[in-house]
Amino acid sequence: MRLVRFWHRALPALLLTAALLPTAGCDNPFKPRIGYAPVATEPPPRPNSPTGLMNLFRWCWENRSITEYEDLFTEDFRFVFSDIEAVDNPPILRDEEIAIARRIFVDGGASEPRAKRIEMTFVNQPLIPIPDTRPDRPDPWYKLVQTRVRLTVELAEPTPIQIDGDVNFFLVRGDSAQIPLELQPRLKPDPGRWYIQRWEDKTGGGSRVVATLRALALAEARARARGATAGTRDGRGGLLTSPGQALHAPVAPVAASAGGSGFTWGTLFRRFRE
């Protein structure tokens, strides 16, 4: 009888201990850790609409998921650098885009470690796809998403990379997309799936406004240099600045962009090209 009473009292505690043992010291399988921060806190969005595709794009960056990222782009994909950078940098094609992302997300580059943390925000919410503005890209098979993006990428250095500015994403429906050969066994010409065909960088110093401001600053500096030998005189012929003083006068800084940081997607990509 005593033995029965003992087990009657001890059984609840033993059952509670057994229930806790399998989970003690284990990570949540739905929130695995990659690098230095937990990722994959939510399932990937479905690219079954232009908005769903852009949400999956953001999810891939924040979770540093190269597997889903490889499925986002068409065979004829192009990343186009900002206006100023495009002078010396031809567009990035699909294979190189994925290779660069793999270094940012997973492997690190020749001189840069992989990202410890990435945050991305589409400032313009909700995202509103509009008809593609390019010729021979009829609606509803082709769409354009224009938005401002804020991106923060933490590497080993204390100050994170911050990108803030406009981007254009040209999207194509699956039944009109050039699906890469290696994806064709899994992904068919499906009107219920969307892909990124073209990505135009408008962030940082790439706008025409910034180019104009820089040209004006350069012209001002040259004008000062021309007046440096004789100095600057007032309306009565009096000397306002001595010879050489104008040459060393500071030139007003040029704002990088309306967003502010001056760092572009192209700058980030160039750092991880090798």
Side-chain angles (χ1 to χ4, degrees):
M1 181 62 68
R2 292 181 180 178
L3 182 61
V4 171
R5 286 198 296 269
F6 169 79
W7 281 110
H8 180 73
R9 294 174 181 176
L11 185 58
L14 292 174
L15 290 176
L16 178 61
T17 302
L20 293 176
L21 282 176
T23 59
C26 296
D27 287 334
N28 187 342
F30 298 102
K31 194 175 183 181
R33 293 180 178 270
I34 297 179
Y36 301 92
V39 298
T41 58
E42 58 184 14
R46 296 180 59 191
N48 55 2
S49 67
T51 302
L53 174 63
M54 297 315 305
N55 288 333
L56 178 58
F57 172 85
R58 179 190 59 81
W59 184 92
C60 287
W61 275 84
E62 290 200 330
N63 291 283
R64 292 162 288 162
S65 177
I66 192 62
T67 302
E68 285 82 1
Y69 199 72
E70 292 175 347
D71 294 350
L72 296 183
F73 307 99
T74 62
E75 180 64 30
D76 56 344
F77 167 79
R78 299 290 185 273
F79 170 87
V80 181
F81 286 86
S82 61
D83 294 343
I84 294 176
E85 294 174 305
V87 175
D88 300 316
N89 296 278
I92 292 177
L93 308 186
R94 175 183 178 271
D95 288 348
E96 186 178 12
E97 168 64 31
I98 293 173
I100 291 172
R102 184 181 298 276
R103 296 184 190 107
I104 297 173
F105 297 170
V106 182
D107 297 333
S111 58
E112 299 285 355
R114 67 179 180 179
K116 296 190 295 183
R117 185 179 67 90
I118 298 176
E119 289 185 0
M120 180 188 295
T121 301
F122 292 130
V123 177
N124 307 98
Q125 290 289 349
L127 296 176
I128 302 177
I130 63 175
D132 197 319
T133 56
R134 299 173 295 171
D136 302 323
R137 299 294 193 276
D139 193 53
W141 294 273
Y142 296 86
K143 294 290 186 180
L144 167 61
V145 172
Q146 298 174 302
T147 185
R148 181 176 169 186
V149 174
R150 290 194 182 114
L151 179 74
T152 300
V153 180
E154 289 187 4
L155 303 174
E157 53 200 33
T159 304
I161 294 171
Q162 293 184 326
I163 299 172
D164 186 347
D166 297 332
V167 288
N168 293 339
F169 290 99
F170 295 88
L171 315 179
V172 56
R173 208 169 72 179
D175 53 349
S176 294
Q178 293 187 27
I179 300 175
L181 185 62
E182 65 268 26
L183 302 183
Q184 291 181 13
R186 295 188 294 107
L187 302 177
K188 305 301 181 183
D190 181 4
R193 186 183 179 98
W194 286 78
Y195 298 87
I196 301 174
Q197 186 185 50
R198 184 179 177 90
W199 174 3
E200 293 180 350
D201 183 17
K202 304 295 182 182
T203 56
S207 69
R208 294 179 182 177
V209 174
V210 173
T212 302
L213 290 173
R214 287 179 174 170
L216 291 174
L218 180 59
E220 182 182 357
R222 288 173 176 172
R224 290 177 178 175
R226 284 196 299 270
T229 55
T232 304
R233 298 183 179 276
D234 60 18
R236 296 173 297 175
L239 193 63
L240 296 177
T241 58
S242 61
Q245 185 177 351
L247 181 62
H248 299 288
V251 177
V254 179
S257 70
S261 71
F263 215 100
T264 68
W265 286 96
T267 309
L268 174 64
F269 287 168
R270 292 202 310 271
R271 291 178 66 168
F272 282 88
R273 262 186 155 164
E274 298 295 340

